[in-house]
Structure formats: structure tokens, C-alpha cells
Amino acid sequence: MGRWICRFCSRVADPLMLLLVLALSCNPSIAATASPSVPHIKPSYSFGRTFLGLDKCNACIGTSICKKFFKEEIRFDTWLSSHLKLPPSYLLSYSGNYTDDAKSWRLVDITRLTSKYQHDRADKRICTSLLKTRTCSLERALRRTQRFQKWLRAKRLTPDLVQGLSSPMLRCPSQRLLDRIVRRYAEVPDAGSIYMDHLTDRDKLRLLYTLAVNSHPILLQIFPDVEGWPFPRYLGSCGRLVVSASTQPLRDFYSAAPEVAADLALQLLAVLRSMGTNDLNYFFYFTHVDAGTFGVFSNGHLFIRDASTLGIIDKEEGSQLIDGQQEYKDIFSCLTVDCHSAFVSCNSIREKHSLVMVCQELLPKLLKGKFLQPVQEKIDSFLQQCANGLTDDQDVNQAIAKLAEILKPLRSCDSRFAYRYPDCKYSDKY
């Protein structure tokens, strides 16, 4: 049939018609290409194991949320652009979108425990220190260490297994805290047991690696937001990336309206109060604070955005490591910090510790020049008393209490503060 049409085409006088007929009937492939029934091929996105850090597993955080990445149910904001390219791998954090039904999306933070540069330097240190080579299998190298061999034999996570790790959370460990870590470790099926029988060798290495690099994701898991703890929700990990609910850093609110600044300052003081006094008798303290330590949800609620500098003292059991034992050092002690850095003594932590740092670093920037005199002068005076830190705990607490009294009537009750609106209309609490 095609040959007959082509012979017919040769007799057609109009050369344009000849070209058209030849194109459509003498070349079946062109006709098939033009067919509207051919489905549109969706462009695929390639992460690469290196971007996620999966090429480093099991010296990584976990794999619980990898399927979400590969099914494109977690998308970086840059994917919304026309180029649909992955962001640079050297960034420490990324803004992303997360979905469970492919219809509704919510903002999430996608973060690395340290910068890629620090990760690469730590990986190199493992190879050169343990195997005397520039490159190696990180998992094989770490498995040979004395510490991990002890982990493999252990039935229970005990203080001697975490001694010398740089995480502030583990500088003054109690058995009760370590049991909570094992029982609530979210990268494995929940066994509800304090014993590590449900952890495979791979799971133990991932848990040890996470605790050695940055305890932030562990804190989010063992003190979840659904129980009232002031941390963003932990959604999972893939390789060396952690996914959690999105918050806007406190630094973005330094230029906020006076009523917003007053509200955030009061929330910040309330968070510190709850971290010092809570039903579980854990005392949380910061070893460092900056403008990214705290974050604010879209509803105006303030949370601890970065828990990596949080230390914990068990007021019920106390520390089960004496300061001399903390000086034990190995490769796991040096993954993110200088091996020669000194530990803070558990006995040196005071109740006012975090309050003084916040009064020095955060509250002055949040409240500076926001209010009319003489209110601003009083605020500055009480902040200075707190920041000096020269008085005892009671004097610092009194200065903070007077500051809160001044700030409370300065905040407003409207829809900008969705976390407490409209409840504030009908309650004296606000």
C-alpha cells in the first residue's frame, strides 16, 4: 500500500502536496511519532548515592526515608524551578517539600549533621588513622575498632560504650537516658526494649556513628514533639541527610514588630524553663547558642531548631561517668571536633547556664530598640543583669521573672499567633 501511494505521489502536480504525502505515508516512523496516543515520558531525577551519602553507609545516619526521595515524595525547593536540578551538595541545609498523598505538600528541613567538607575530612581521618590509607571502606575500618567490637558484644547500651564521644548529650550520661535512646531509636522497628537484641550489626554502627557525629536526630527521636517536647518532628533519614518539620530561624525575626518580638522572647524563656524543670527530671542545658539554635513554625510557635549543642543531666539518677572517664578518646571522639578539646565537667553546669547565654546572645538582638521609654530601659536593665551571670541562680531567675512581667502585656492576641489564637481571647494565661 505504501509503495502504491508513493507512485501516486509522483504524479501529483503540486510539489508541496508531494512533500506532505511523502512525509506522512512513505516514512511510517514519522507518522508514529506524530500520533497523540504516545504517552509523555516523565523526566527522571537522579540523586546519586554520593549526594545522599548512601555510598558511605553503614557509616551514616539511616535509610528510613530513602523511598520518599526516590519516589519524589520529598522534593527540594529547586525542583519547583524550570531546571529541576538538585541543589549544591556543599550546603548544610535545604528547604524541601514533603507529601504522603501526592496532593498536599508541607515544608520540611533537609539537613546534614555537619558540612560536606567536615564529613569528607572525617572520612579521610578514619582511613588514615585506622588503615593508613587515603581511601578505604569506612564500614570495614570502623568495625575493626575496639569500641565497636564492644558494641557488638553488648546486650545493653551502657555509659562505658559512649565515654569520650564529643556529643554534649553524652558527657554526663545516665543509664536511664541510654535506655531511652535504645528504646526509641526510630531507624529500626520499634521493639520497646532497653536491650539491643533487636539491633543488627548495621543498626549498631549507624547509631554509634550518629551519636559520634551529631546527636541532634537522636534527641528529636527520644523526646518527640507529640509528647510536648520543644523539638521539630523527626521524619526520617537517608544516608547522611536528616528530614524534619520546617522552622524559620530566629534570626529572621530580629526585625519583627514589637508585639512579635515580645511573644517570641516569652516563648524562649518558657522553653528554657521547661528544659530545666520537667516531669522526667532531665535537666537540659546548652553548650552554645546562636541565631539558628531556635526556630519558629508557621503558626508562630517557637521550637529548638538545632539540638546538637544540648547537654543532658539526669537529676533522678545523676551521671554514671566520673570526669576522668570522660577523657577516654578514640577515632569516634574525633569525627567532628579536635581530639584535644576538653570536656566540660558535669559538676560545673549551673541552673542559670542557658539563661545567661540567651541573655547575652539572643534576647538583646530580638528586643533591642523595640519599645518606648521607660519600658525599653527596664528591659535592657534586666537583660544586663541576666547576661552578667555574676550573681547566683536566684538573682538571675528574679531578673528573668521581672523581664517576663514587662513583656507579657506587650504581646498581642491575633491570627498572627495561630498557636495560641483564639485561645488567648478567653484565657488569662496569655
Side-chain angles (χ1 to χ4, degrees):
M1 182 67 180
R3 294 178 181 176
W4 182 87
I5 292 175
C6 289
R7 288 197 297 272
F8 172 80
C9 292
S10 65
R11 299 177 183 178
V12 178
D14 191 342
L16 291 177
M17 180 63 73
L18 175 61
L19 291 174
L20 178 61
V21 175
L22 285 173
L24 293 178
S25 42
C26 296
N27 194 334
S29 63
I30 294 179
T33 304
S35 172
S37 62
V38 177
H40 175 68
I41 299 176
K42 182 180 179 182
S44 60
Y45 305 99
S46 175
F47 282 96
R49 294 170 60 83
T50 301
F51 181 86
L52 294 170
L54 281 172
D55 59 325
K56 307 295 186 180
C57 283
N58 290 303
C60 63
I61 313 167
T63 57
S64 61
I65 209 166
C66 287
K67 287 183 179 179
K68 286 280 187 182
F69 278 104
F70 290 116
K71 290 169 65 178
E72 298 171 30
E73 293 175 346
I74 296 177
R75 295 188 174 189
F76 294 90
D77 274 356
T78 51
W79 283 19
L80 303 180
S81 69
S82 59
H83 299 293
L84 297 174
K85 293 181 179 179
L86 289 173
S89 61
Y90 58 79
L91 297 178
L92 188 60
S93 63
Y94 312 89
S95 180
N97 298 275
Y98 176 103
T99 185
D100 287 318
D101 55 15
K103 296 178 182 178
S104 58
W105 294 80
R106 51 190 166 121
L107 291 175
V108 293
D109 289 333
I110 305 169
T111 57
R112 301 182 187 277
L113 296 190
T114 68
S115 68
K116 190 174 186 303
Y117 168 76
Q118 289 176 303
H119 268 311
D120 291 343
R121 189 173 64 171
D123 294 344
K124 186 176 181 180
R125 184 183 294 134
I126 292 171
C127 293
T128 54
S129 298
L130 300 179
L131 298 182
K132 311 302 179 184
T133 60
R134 290 189 176 184
T135 60
C136 68
S137 166
L138 299 177
E139 179 174 357
R140 189 179 300 116
L142 293 177
R143 278 178 172 271
R144 294 181 179 180
T145 61
Q146 181 180 3
R147 186 191 294 267
F148 186 66
Q149 289 300 312
K150 290 177 66 176
W151 272 63
L152 289 179
R153 296 189 297 269
K155 291 291 185 181
R156 193 174 182 182
L157 186 59
T158 51
D160 63 296
L161 296 178
V162 298
Q163 64 176 315
L165 296 184
S166 62
S167 168
M169 182 181 75
L170 299 173
R171 290 180 183 173
C172 313
S174 69
Q175 188 61 58
R176 187 168 68 113
L177 176 63
L178 298 179
D179 288 344
R180 190 177 183 87
I181 292 174
V182 173
R183 195 170 60 246
R184 297 190 168 211
Y185 182 42
E187 288 297 311
V188 298
D190 182 17
S193 173
I194 62 174
Y195 297 102
M196 295 196 290
D197 297 335
H198 62 294
L199 300 184
T200 64
D201 294 357
R202 175 200 65 192
D203 298 329
K204 289 182 178 180
L205 180 57
R206 291 178 180 178
L207 176 57
L208 173 55
Y209 179 85
T210 307
L211 291 172
V213 174
N214 189 326
S215 59
H216 170 76
I218 302 299
L219 274 159
L220 269 56
Q221 294 169 42
I222 66 177
F223 298 107
D225 66 310
V226 293
E227 295 180 2
W229 297 97
F231 301 110
R233 180 165 301 180
Y234 177 81
L235 298 173
S237 300
C238 183
R240 290 180 170 179
L241 293 181
V242 178
V243 183
S244 59
S246 177
T247 57
Q248 193 173 354
L250 186 63
R251 69 170 68 90
D252 294 351
F253 295 87
Y254 283 168
S255 59
E259 62 272 20
V260 175
D263 182 83
L264 292 176
L266 284 168
Q267 286 193 73
L268 184 52
L269 296 177
V271 165
L272 294 181
R273 195 177 305 116
S274 69
M275 303 306 277
T277 304
N278 51 75
D279 293 341
L280 293 185
N281 270 333
Y282 287 115
F283 174 67
F284 296 77
Y285 65 93
F286 286 98
T287 57
H288 170 78
V289 295
D290 58 38
T293 302
F294 296 90
V296 183
F297 282 121
S298 58
N299 65 357
H301 207 170
L302 182 137
F303 275 61
I304 296 174
R305 190 171 190 258
D306 179 5
S308 62
T309 61
L310 266 181
I312 302 178
I313 295 177
D314 192 335
K315 295 194 292 185
E316 188 172 302
E317 287 190 1
S319 171
Q320 296 190 19
L321 277 182
I322 61 174
D323 290 337
Q325 289 177 292
Q326 291 182 345
E327 297 304 320
Y328 172 85
K329 300 285 180 68
D330 66 355
I331 189 64
F332 288 100
S333 310
C334 313
L335 293 183
T336 57
V337 298
D338 183 358
C339 285
H340 302 293
S341 59
F343 289 112
V344 176
S345 170
C346 300
N347 296 327
S348 67
I349 306 301
R350 302 278 298 278
E351 183 181 342
K352 66 179 182 180
H353 187 87
S354 296
L355 282 172
V356 171
M357 282 196 294
V358 167
C359 289
Q360 291 173 341
E361 301 294 331
L362 302 182
L363 288 179
K365 298 173 183 176
L366 183 64
L367 300 174
K368 182 179 180 180
K370 289 290 173 66
F371 308 98
L372 299 175
Q373 300 296 355
V375 173
Q376 185 68 54
E377 184 178 354
K378 291 180 180 178
I379 290 174
D380 295 342
S381 174
F382 289 129
L383 279 179
Q384 189 61 49
Q385 290 181 38
C386 170
N388 284 339
L390 301 177
T391 53
D392 60 24
D393 292 343
Q394 185 176 356
D395 289 339
V396 172
N397 289 332
Q398 287 177 354
I400 289 298
K402 292 178 181 178
L403 176 64
E405 287 181 13
I406 296 174
L407 292 174
K408 191 171 182 179
L410 298 177
R411 60 180 181 173
S412 62
C413 179
D414 57 62
S415 57
R416 288 176 298 171
F417 311 99
Y419 80 96
R420 59 182 175 86
Y421 180 83
D423 294 349
C424 53
K425 280 189 173 183
Y426 312 105
S427 173
D428 295 335
K429 176 182 177 183
Y430 300 103

